[in-house]
Amino acid sequence: MANKQKNNTVKRKKNRYRMVIMNDDTFEEVVTFKLTRTSVYIMLSTFFLLLTGLTIAVISFTDLRFLIPGYGKQGALQELRMLKMKTDSMEQVMRFNEQYFMDLQKVFSGNQLQEKLDTTMLKLPKIENEYQ
């Protein structure tokens, strides 16, 4: 019984149908198509894939992508990088200023800086002048 249903399904997929487009006034056949269920499925799937690909291409390669919520505005990435660099440099300046003011407070309060100086001798190789 399962074999019988399988054969019927295969036969239905392979049955040929004719689609005729006619002029309503003259009943003249304008276009005739011979179709099967499989060919209709393949055509609709291909049309869907092409339409989806075209939509994705139009959105991703044009300025329409900036209309998508959360995608960001044009030039926002460059602005973000510039702001990050400015913030980093400002944080570094703030750290230097804090250290400077802490050292000033130590000097004014009478406490000497308790930092040990590096007094080790460095033996650097002598650089010969190549142009002599």
Side-chain angles (χ1 to χ4, degrees):
M1 186 163 193
N3 193 17
K4 204 175 198 183
Q5 288 177 347
K6 184 178 180 182
N7 286 339
N8 285 339
T9 305
V10 171
K11 284 182 182 178
R12 276 191 308 199
K13 287 182 181 178
K14 290 185 179 183
N15 282 344
R16 302 194 108 212
Y17 299 96
R18 182 184 306 253
M19 185 173 90
V20 178
I21 299 177
M22 300 177 75
N23 187 346
D24 199 26
D25 296 331
T26 62
F27 296 110
E28 177 186 358
E29 287 185 11
V30 178
V31 179
T32 302
F33 297 105
K34 292 181 182 176
L35 305 169
T36 63
R37 290 183 186 210
T38 307
S39 66
V40 170
Y41 174 75
I42 290 172
M43 282 191 302
L44 290 176
S45 299
T46 304
F47 177 73
F48 175 74
L49 288 174
L50 288 174
L51 187 64
T52 303
L54 181 66
T55 303
I56 290 171
V58 165
I59 289 174
S60 63
F61 294 123
T62 63
D63 287 338
L64 289 176
R65 66 179 174 254
F66 298 117
L67 298 177
I68 297 171
Y71 191 84
K73 296 192 186 242
Q74 197 170 16
L77 188 59
Q78 290 86 10
E79 288 179 29
L80 182 64
R81 286 182 184 147
M82 291 299 295
L83 287 173
K84 183 168 174 48
M85 288 181 1
K86 285 181 182 179
T87 304
D88 289 342
S89 63
M90 290 175 77
E91 285 178 354
Q92 187 177 12
V93 168
M94 285 293 295
R95 274 188 262 119
F96 289 150
N97 284 341
E98 285 177 13
Q99 182 66 38
Y100 176 74
F101 287 126
M102 286 175 59
D103 290 342
L104 275 179
Q105 283 178 348
K106 287 179 184 177
V107 169
F108 288 142
S109 66
N111 296 337
Q112 293 295 326
L113 297 175
Q114 300 297 330
E115 297 178 18
K116 294 184 179 179
L117 299 177
D118 186 14
T119 58
T120 57
M121 294 291 291
L122 295 176
K123 294 185 180 180
L124 299 174
K126 186 175 182 180
I127 300 174
E128 296 180 19
N129 195 350
E130 296 177 9
Y131 299 108
Q132 288 181 348

